[in-house]
Protein backbone atom coordinates (compact mmCIF):
# COMPACT_ATOMS: atom_id res chain seq x y z
CA UNK A 1 0.00 0.00 0.00
CA UNK A 2 1.35 3.39 -0.91
CA UNK A 3 1.77 6.43 1.31
CA UNK A 4 -0.88 9.15 1.47
CA UNK A 5 -0.90 12.19 -0.79
CA UNK A 6 0.60 14.61 1.80
CA UNK A 7 3.69 12.40 1.95
CA UNK A 8 4.00 12.60 -1.83
CA UNK A 9 3.75 16.38 -1.70
CA UNK A 10 6.43 16.60 1.00
CA UNK A 11 8.77 14.45 -1.07
CA UNK A 12 8.11 16.66 -4.09
CA UNK A 13 8.91 19.84 -2.19
CA UNK A 14 12.29 18.42 -1.13
CA UNK A 15 13.40 18.56 -4.77
CA UNK A 16 14.70 21.90 -6.02
CA UNK A 17 12.67 21.69 -9.24
CA UNK A 18 9.54 20.97 -7.22
CA UNK A 19 10.03 24.00 -5.01
CA UNK A 20 10.80 26.28 -7.96
CA UNK A 21 7.78 25.04 -9.91
CA UNK A 22 5.48 25.34 -6.89
CA UNK A 23 6.59 28.91 -6.13
CA UNK A 24 6.14 29.94 -9.77
CA UNK A 25 2.67 28.37 -9.92
CA UNK A 26 1.61 30.10 -6.70
CA UNK A 27 2.80 33.45 -8.08
CA UNK A 28 0.95 32.89 -11.36
CA UNK A 29 -2.23 31.84 -9.52
CA UNK A 30 -2.10 34.88 -7.22
CA UNK A 31 -1.46 37.12 -10.23
CA UNK A 32 -4.56 35.73 -11.94
CA UNK A 33 -6.76 35.92 -8.83
CA UNK A 34 -5.70 39.44 -7.83
CA UNK A 35 -6.09 40.91 -11.32
CA UNK A 36 -9.71 42.09 -10.92
CA UNK A 37 -8.80 43.91 -7.70
CA UNK A 38 -5.58 45.63 -8.78
CA UNK A 39 -5.88 46.06 -12.55
CA UNK A 40 -8.39 47.83 -14.82
CA UNK A 41 -11.14 46.01 -16.63
CA UNK A 42 -9.55 44.15 -19.57
CA UNK A 43 -12.37 45.38 -21.83
CA UNK A 44 -11.78 49.06 -21.04
CA UNK A 45 -10.71 51.09 -24.08
CA UNK A 46 -8.79 54.03 -22.61
CA UNK A 47 -8.31 56.07 -25.77
CA UNK A 48 -9.29 54.31 -28.99
CA UNK A 49 -7.59 56.95 -31.17
CA UNK A 50 -4.40 58.01 -29.39
CA UNK A 51 -4.02 55.18 -26.87
CA UNK A 52 -3.79 52.22 -29.25
CA UNK A 53 -0.57 50.21 -29.58
CA UNK A 54 1.25 52.20 -26.92
CA UNK A 55 4.57 50.60 -25.86
CA UNK A 56 5.14 49.47 -22.25
CA UNK A 57 5.19 52.38 -19.81
CA UNK A 58 4.62 53.17 -16.16
CA UNK A 59 0.86 53.49 -16.77
CA UNK A 60 0.63 50.36 -18.95
CA UNK A 61 3.56 48.07 -18.00
CA UNK A 62 2.78 45.65 -20.86
CA UNK A 63 1.62 48.34 -23.29
CA UNK A 64 -1.77 48.53 -25.00
CA UNK A 65 -3.29 46.63 -27.92
CA UNK A 66 -4.92 47.87 -31.13
CA UNK A 67 -8.10 48.74 -29.21
CA UNK A 68 -6.14 50.66 -26.51
CA UNK A 69 -6.85 47.91 -23.94
CA UNK A 70 -4.28 47.28 -21.21
CA UNK A 71 -2.24 44.20 -22.16
CA UNK A 72 -1.20 43.45 -18.56
CA UNK A 73 -4.84 43.30 -17.47
CA UNK A 74 -5.72 41.07 -20.40
CA UNK A 75 -2.78 38.73 -19.71
CA UNK A 76 -3.86 38.43 -16.07
CA UNK A 77 -7.48 37.76 -16.96
CA UNK A 78 -6.37 35.42 -19.72
CA UNK A 79 -4.52 33.46 -17.03
CA UNK A 80 -7.79 32.91 -15.21
CA UNK A 81 -9.46 31.63 -18.37
CA UNK A 82 -6.57 29.42 -19.52
CA UNK A 83 -5.93 27.94 -16.07
CA UNK A 84 -9.63 27.36 -15.44
CA UNK A 85 -10.07 25.59 -18.78
CA UNK A 86 -6.99 23.44 -18.15
CA UNK A 87 -7.79 22.49 -14.54
CA UNK A 88 -11.47 21.66 -15.12
CA UNK A 89 -10.80 19.76 -18.35
CA UNK A 90 -8.00 17.73 -16.75
CA UNK A 91 -10.15 17.00 -13.69
CA UNK A 92 -12.84 15.64 -16.02
CA UNK A 93 -10.41 13.55 -18.07
CA UNK A 94 -8.63 12.18 -14.98
CA UNK A 95 -11.96 11.17 -13.43
CA UNK A 96 -13.16 9.42 -16.58
CA UNK A 97 -9.83 7.71 -17.16
CA UNK A 98 -9.53 6.56 -13.55
CA UNK A 99 -13.00 4.99 -13.53
CA UNK A 100 -12.51 3.24 -16.88
CA UNK A 101 -9.03 1.96 -15.97
CA UNK A 102 -10.21 0.85 -12.54
CA UNK A 103 -13.09 -1.18 -13.94
CA UNK A 104 -11.00 -2.75 -16.72
CA UNK A 105 -8.09 -3.65 -14.44
CA UNK A 106 -10.17 -5.02 -11.56
CA UNK A 107 -12.60 -7.19 -13.49
CA UNK A 108 -10.19 -8.26 -16.23
CA UNK A 109 -11.21 -10.93 -18.69
CA UNK A 110 -13.75 -9.98 -21.34
CA UNK A 111 -14.44 -6.60 -19.71
CA UNK A 112 -10.78 -5.67 -19.83
CA UNK A 113 -10.40 -6.86 -23.42
CA UNK A 114 -13.41 -4.95 -24.73
CA UNK A 115 -12.62 -1.73 -22.86
CA UNK A 116 -8.95 -1.71 -23.81
CA UNK A 117 -9.67 -2.43 -27.48
CA UNK A 118 -12.02 0.56 -27.52
CA UNK A 119 -9.32 2.68 -25.87
CA UNK A 120 -6.67 1.47 -28.34
CA UNK A 121 -8.93 2.31 -31.28
CA UNK A 122 -9.69 5.77 -29.92
CA UNK A 123 -6.00 6.45 -29.26
CA UNK A 124 -5.26 5.72 -32.92
CA UNK A 125 -7.08 8.96 -33.78
CA UNK A 126 -4.89 12.03 -33.11
CA UNK A 127 -6.46 14.09 -30.34
CA UNK A 128 -5.87 17.40 -32.09
CA UNK A 129 -7.55 16.13 -35.26
CA UNK A 130 -10.55 14.94 -33.26
CA UNK A 131 -10.76 18.24 -31.39
CA UNK A 132 -10.62 20.23 -34.61
CA UNK A 133 -13.50 18.18 -36.02
CA UNK A 134 -15.62 18.58 -32.89
CA UNK A 135 -14.88 22.27 -32.33
CA UNK A 136 -15.33 23.19 -36.00
CA UNK A 137 -18.79 21.62 -35.95
CA UNK A 138 -20.08 24.60 -33.93
CA UNK A 139 -20.08 28.16 -35.19
CA UNK A 140 -19.49 29.59 -31.72
CA UNK A 141 -18.62 26.94 -29.15
CA UNK A 142 -19.49 28.06 -25.58
CA UNK A 143 -16.67 27.99 -23.04
CA UNK A 144 -18.33 25.24 -20.99
CA UNK A 145 -18.71 23.09 -24.11
CA UNK A 146 -15.05 23.69 -25.02
CA UNK A 147 -13.98 22.46 -21.58
CA UNK A 148 -16.23 19.42 -21.92
CA UNK A 149 -14.85 18.55 -25.36
CA UNK A 150 -11.21 18.89 -24.23
CA UNK A 151 -11.85 16.86 -21.08
CA UNK A 152 -13.82 14.15 -22.86
CA UNK A 153 -10.99 13.53 -25.34
CA UNK A 154 -8.11 13.38 -22.84
CA UNK A 155 -8.86 10.37 -20.62
CA UNK A 156 -7.52 7.56 -22.80
CA UNK A 157 -3.93 7.58 -21.59
CA UNK A 158 -5.07 7.89 -17.97
CA UNK A 159 -7.24 4.78 -18.29
CA UNK A 160 -4.26 2.73 -19.45
CA UNK A 161 -2.14 4.09 -16.62
CA UNK A 162 -4.71 3.27 -13.94
CA UNK A 163 -5.38 -0.16 -15.44
CA UNK A 164 -1.69 -1.03 -15.24
CA UNK A 165 -1.54 0.03 -11.59
CA UNK A 166 -4.69 -1.94 -10.73
CA UNK A 167 -3.38 -5.07 -12.45
CA UNK A 168 -0.24 -4.77 -10.34
CA UNK A 169 -2.11 -4.19 -7.08
CA UNK A 170 -5.20 -6.40 -7.30
CA UNK A 171 -3.28 -9.50 -6.14
CA UNK A 172 -1.63 -7.66 -3.22
CA UNK A 173 -2.16 -8.91 0.31
CA UNK A 174 -4.18 -5.90 1.48
CA UNK A 175 -6.63 -6.41 -1.40
CA UNK A 176 -6.95 -10.13 -0.71
CA UNK A 177 -7.45 -9.40 2.99
CA UNK A 178 -10.24 -6.91 2.24
CA UNK A 179 -11.97 -9.43 -0.02
CA UNK A 180 -11.60 -12.17 2.62
CA UNK A 181 -13.30 -9.88 5.14
CA UNK A 182 -16.30 -9.56 2.83
CA UNK A 183 -15.58 -6.27 1.07
CA UNK A 184 -17.50 -5.97 -2.20
CA UNK A 185 -16.06 -5.04 -5.57
CA UNK A 186 -17.03 -1.37 -5.26
CA UNK A 187 -15.42 -1.02 -1.83
CA UNK A 188 -12.22 -2.76 -2.94
CA UNK A 189 -11.95 -0.62 -6.06
CA UNK A 190 -12.67 2.79 -4.55
CA UNK A 191 -11.44 2.28 -0.98
CA UNK A 192 -8.31 0.21 -1.52
CA UNK A 193 -7.18 0.27 -5.15
CA UNK A 194 -8.00 3.81 -6.31
CA UNK A 195 -6.17 5.57 -3.41
CA UNK A 196 -3.05 3.63 -4.32
CA UNK A 197 -3.04 5.09 -7.83
CA UNK A 198 -2.92 8.67 -6.52
CA UNK A 199 0.80 9.06 -7.30
CA UNK A 200 0.61 8.24 -11.03
CA UNK A 201 -2.71 10.11 -11.31
CA UNK A 202 -1.22 13.23 -9.72
CA UNK A 203 1.71 13.18 -12.14
CA UNK A 204 -0.62 12.65 -15.12
CA UNK A 205 -2.91 15.45 -13.95
CA UNK A 206 -0.09 17.93 -13.44
CA UNK A 207 1.49 17.29 -16.83
CA UNK A 208 -1.96 17.19 -18.40
CA UNK A 209 -2.67 20.76 -17.23
CA UNK A 210 0.38 21.97 -19.16
CA UNK A 211 -0.69 20.06 -22.25
CA UNK A 212 -4.21 21.49 -22.12
CA UNK A 213 -2.91 25.06 -21.69
CA UNK A 214 -0.92 24.61 -24.90
CA UNK A 215 -3.86 22.89 -26.60
CA UNK A 216 -6.33 25.63 -25.65
CA UNK A 217 -3.86 28.31 -26.73
CA UNK A 218 -3.45 26.58 -30.09
CA UNK A 219 -7.20 26.30 -30.62
CA UNK A 220 -7.71 29.94 -29.64
CA UNK A 221 -4.93 31.01 -31.98
CA UNK A 222 -6.75 29.21 -34.79
CA UNK A 223 -9.96 31.01 -33.81
CA UNK A 224 -11.60 27.79 -32.57
CA UNK A 225 -11.12 28.12 -28.83
CA UNK A 226 -12.08 30.91 -26.44
CA UNK A 227 -13.76 33.60 -28.52
CA UNK A 228 -13.29 37.38 -28.22
CA UNK A 229 -13.87 39.56 -26.31
CA UNK A 230 -13.04 37.02 -23.56
CA UNK A 231 -9.25 37.22 -23.15
CA UNK A 232 -7.17 34.07 -23.50
CA UNK A 233 -3.46 33.75 -24.10
CA UNK A 234 -3.82 32.07 -27.48
CA UNK A 235 -6.44 34.56 -28.60
CA UNK A 236 -4.24 37.47 -27.57
CA UNK A 237 -1.37 36.11 -29.67
CA UNK A 238 -3.78 35.88 -32.60
CA UNK A 239 -4.92 39.47 -32.08
CA UNK A 240 -1.31 40.69 -32.06
CA UNK A 241 -0.30 38.74 -35.16
CA UNK A 242 -1.15 41.53 -37.58
CA UNK A 243 0.81 44.16 -35.61
CA UNK A 244 3.73 41.93 -34.67
CA UNK A 245 6.37 44.23 -36.16
CA UNK A 246 4.85 47.53 -35.02
CA UNK A 247 3.76 46.35 -31.54
CA UNK A 248 5.40 43.01 -30.63
CA UNK A 249 4.39 43.34 -26.97
CA UNK A 250 0.77 42.52 -27.81
CA UNK A 251 1.75 38.92 -28.64
CA UNK A 252 5.00 38.73 -26.68
CA UNK A 253 3.64 38.95 -23.15
CA UNK A 254 0.86 36.34 -23.48
CA UNK A 255 3.40 34.09 -25.21
CA UNK A 256 5.81 34.52 -22.31
CA UNK A 257 2.96 33.78 -19.89
CA UNK A 258 2.30 30.47 -21.65
CA UNK A 259 6.01 29.56 -21.58
CA UNK A 260 6.42 30.47 -17.90
CA UNK A 261 3.28 28.60 -16.82
CA UNK A 262 4.01 25.42 -18.78
CA UNK A 263 7.64 25.47 -17.63
CA UNK A 264 6.57 25.78 -13.98
CA UNK A 265 4.07 22.94 -14.40
CA UNK A 266 6.67 20.70 -16.03
CA UNK A 267 9.22 21.44 -13.29
CA UNK A 268 6.74 20.56 -10.58
CA UNK A 269 5.45 17.56 -12.54
CA UNK A 270 8.97 16.18 -13.00
CA UNK A 271 9.65 16.50 -9.27
CA UNK A 272 6.29 14.89 -8.52
CA UNK A 273 7.15 12.00 -10.84
CA UNK A 274 10.50 11.46 -9.12
CA UNK A 275 8.81 11.54 -5.71
CA UNK A 276 6.20 9.01 -6.82
CA UNK A 277 8.87 6.66 -8.20
CA UNK A 278 11.01 6.85 -5.08
CA UNK A 279 7.95 6.20 -2.90
CA UNK A 280 6.93 3.08 -4.83
CA UNK A 281 10.45 1.63 -4.93
Amino acid sequence: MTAPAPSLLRRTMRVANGRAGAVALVVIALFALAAPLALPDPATQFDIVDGALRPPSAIHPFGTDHLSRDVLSRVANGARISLAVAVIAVALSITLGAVVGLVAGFFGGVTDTIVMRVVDGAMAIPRLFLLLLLVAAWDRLPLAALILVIGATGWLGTSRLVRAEVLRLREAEFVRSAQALGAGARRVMFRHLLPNTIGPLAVAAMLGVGDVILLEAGLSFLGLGVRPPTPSWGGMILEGKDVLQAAPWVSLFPGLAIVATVLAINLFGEALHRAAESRSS
Side-chain angles (χ1 to χ4, degrees):
M1 185 178 294
T2 59
S7 174
L8 177 63
L9 183 59
R10 285 194 296 270
R11 288 174 180 267
T12 303
M13 296 303 292
R14 291 173 188 166
V15 182
N17 286 351
R19 292 193 297 271
V23 170
L25 289 174
V26 169
V27 171
I28 292 169
L30 290 176
F31 173 63
L33 292 174
L37 302 177
L39 297 174
D41 188 334
T44 300
Q45 297 173 290
F46 293 93
D47 187 343
I48 192 63
V49 177
D50 297 326
L53 301 179
R54 290 293 183 181
S57 62
I59 300 176
H60 303 290
F62 284 8
T64 62
D65 65 5
H66 63 293
L67 296 177
S68 77
R69 297 172 298 189
D70 184 66
V71 174
L72 174 59
S73 179
R74 289 179 59 77
V75 168
N77 281 269
R80 299 171 63 195
I81 298 297
S82 297
L83 290 175
V85 169
V87 170
I88 298 173
V90 168
L92 175 61
S93 63
I94 288 293
T95 301
L96 290 174
V99 171
V100 172
L102 193 61
V103 170
F106 181 78
F107 290 104
V110 177
T111 301
D112 182 34
T113 300
I114 294 175
V115 171
M116 285 299 104
R117 294 299 77 77
V118 172
V119 170
D120 291 341
M123 291 186 71
I125 305 173
R127 185 185 184 188
L128 181 58
F129 176 73
L130 181 60
L131 277 171
L132 289 175
L133 287 179
L134 293 174
V135 172
W138 285 273
D139 183 34
R140 290 187 62 87
L141 188 67
L143 182 59
L146 175 66
I147 295 174
L148 181 63
V149 168
I150 294 177
T153 57
W155 58 271
L156 302 172
T158 302
S159 67
R160 295 174 65 91
L161 178 66
V162 172
R163 170 183 175 270
E165 286 293 307
V166 172
L167 288 176
R168 182 178 67 87
L169 293 169
R170 70 179 183 179
E171 302 299 330
E173 290 185 5
F174 70 92
V175 175
R176 290 299 186 187
S177 298
Q179 291 174 327
L181 291 173
R186 180 181 300 178
R187 182 177 178 85
V188 171
M189 286 193 295
F190 292 98
R191 183 69 181 270
H192 298 282
L193 289 174
L194 184 59
N196 284 278
T197 65
I198 291 298
L201 279 178
V203 176
M206 181 56 61
L207 297 178
V209 169
D211 290 340
V212 172
I213 287 175
L214 291 174
L215 185 60
E216 182 274 324
L219 290 174
S220 296
F221 181 77
L222 294 174
L224 299 174
V226 179
R227 302 298 179 92
T230 304
S232 74
W233 289 336
M236 292 180 66
I237 295 175
L238 174 63
E239 290 176 354
K241 177 175 65 67
D242 294 332
V243 294
L244 192 58
Q245 292 184 345
W249 55 86
V250 178
S251 294
L252 175 63
F253 288 112
L256 290 176
I258 293 174
V259 172
T261 304
V262 174
L263 178 60
I265 289 171
N266 286 341
L267 286 175
F268 189 80
E270 179 187 1
L272 192 65
H273 179 61
R274 291 170 57 185
E277 283 190 336
S278 64
R279 186 183 66 180
S280 60
S281 60

